[in-house]
Every structure is written in C-alpha cells, then in structure tokens.
Amino acid sequence: IAFDMGGTSTDVSRYAGSYEHVFETVTAGVTVQAPQLDVNTVAAGGGSRLFYRSGMFVVGPESCSAHPGPVCYRKNGWLAITDANVVLG
C-alpha cells in the first residue's frame, strides 16, 4: 500500500504483485481517458486545519497553507492534521 500525505490531501494506492491501472477517471468534473495508476484520494492532508467543535475534532475544509503547526514547528500557526500526527505518534 502506498500512502502519500500532502498538504491538502492524502492519496493511497495498492501493489499486489502488479500495478493496478485505470483507463478513465473524472476529476473536478473533467473526464480523463488515459492509462494511469489507480490512485485514490481518501482524506485531508497534513496542512488541513483542525478544529475542536462540540466536543470533537473536525477537519477543514480550510487549509493552513504554508504555515501549519503550532505543535510540530513550534510556531503560532493554526492547529493542523500534522500537529495531531505528532501528538498521536
């Protein structure tokens, strides 16, 4: 399983002895017909803002852009997914 957490999204794919391909995808309403690896976006990324509302943590859709991390970078930025990852190990 491949796992790529970027700033705004987390993408995953799978390798089970061979690469899985798809030949058509739709992104933001645009259909792309070309051979490509089957990669799926499944979650928010490390720069997605983390909020505490009604007794639980919720994510986004706001982004911290290039300044995440009061915990992980010891800055006065907004709380982000990256901070939760550091705290949780």
Side-chain angles (χ1 to χ4, degrees):
I1 294 179
F3 178 90
D4 174 29
M5 180 178 278
T8 58
S9 65
T10 299
D11 302 320
V12 296
S13 62
R14 178 176 92 110
Y15 179 81
S18 63
Y19 294 109
E20 293 185 15
H21 292 88
V22 294
F23 298 94
E24 181 177 300
T25 59
V26 177
T27 302
V30 177
T31 300
V32 177
Q33 293 179 329
Q36 54 197 291
L37 293 176
D38 189 15
V39 177
N40 295 284
T41 301
V42 297
S48 296
R49 285 185 62 185
L50 188 62
F51 299 93
Y52 190 74
R53 293 185 185 137
S54 303
M56 64 182 165
F57 285 102
V58 293
V59 177
E62 295 90 344
S63 172
C64 293
S65 55
H67 303 287
V71 174
C72 63
Y73 296 113
R74 298 181 181 165
K75 299 187 328 184
N76 290 326
W78 290 306
L79 192 61
I81 293 292
T82 300
D83 297 313
N85 291 340
V86 169
V87 170
L88 297 172

